[in-house]
Amino acid sequence: MNTGSDETGEAVAAAEGTKSEPALGSRAPEFIKARRALHLSWQVGVFVVGLAVVVAGVIMLPLPGPGWLVIFGGMAIWATEFVWAQLVLRWTKRKVTEATQKALDPKVRRRNIILTSIGLVIIAVLVGIYVWKFGFEMPWKIKE
């Protein structure tokens, strides 16, 4: 009996082949990777560009603009060169996929619809009380 048969190796290779995630590491062109100084300057350039994009996204968080989208764009730029950014991006994609699947669950959707309906009823009651008490006069239209 041969314990090192090719069947298990093929099964493991087939299972690994189903993963669609690319290998971790630098995606710089080969001629850049071949020269250490050039590769280091390439990494510094990628880091600086990614940092600029992430900082712009952080600035956009309190200001108008797609802050989180820009931050994840900067992370994607970093992920072209740095393994830690690739791991963070994979973790983020996995969590977003899990949240999407959870949001599509019928029980969760039903709960969200019920909570939204209750919130709308509460808001409608509060608006009704305001109109009943003060009328349609807006508070900033002060009669002189």
Side-chain angles (χ1 to χ4, degrees):
M1 184 157 175
N2 187 0
T3 58
S5 68
D6 288 336
E7 289 180 3
T8 56
E10 290 173 1
V12 170
E16 289 176 352
T18 59
K19 294 179 183 176
S20 62
E21 295 179 350
L24 296 174
S26 175
R27 293 189 180 96
E30 289 302 322
F31 74 92
I32 291 177
K33 287 184 197 177
R35 293 161 184 84
R36 177 126 175 95
L38 189 58
H39 191 233
L40 185 61
S41 61
W42 176 272
Q43 286 181 328
V44 168
V46 168
F47 182 80
V48 168
V49 170
L51 183 66
V53 173
V54 168
V55 167
V58 169
I59 291 171
M60 285 183 202
L61 287 176
L63 300 175
W68 285 111
L69 185 66
V70 174
I71 289 172
F72 290 127
M75 289 297 296
I77 291 171
W78 280 339
T80 63
E81 196 58 35
F82 303 107
V83 174
W84 61 267
Q86 293 168 1
L87 294 174
V88 168
L89 215 51
R90 284 184 184 179
W91 179 83
T92 304
K93 287 179 184 177
R94 190 171 50 248
K95 290 299 180 184
V96 167
T97 303
E98 290 172 7
T100 303
Q101 293 301 320
K102 187 175 179 183
L104 294 176
D105 180 27
K107 291 180 181 178
V108 174
R109 289 187 63 182
R110 192 175 315 118
R111 183 199 65 201
N112 290 345
I113 289 172
I114 290 170
L115 290 175
T116 302
S117 301
I118 291 171
L120 288 174
V121 167
I122 291 171
I123 290 172
V125 167
L126 292 174
V127 168
I129 291 172
Y130 177 84
V131 169
W132 174 69
K133 188 164 183 151
F134 299 107
F136 285 108
E137 288 275 336
M138 294 296 160
W140 52 85
K141 291 185 179 179
I142 300 173
K143 293 182 182 179
E144 294 182 39

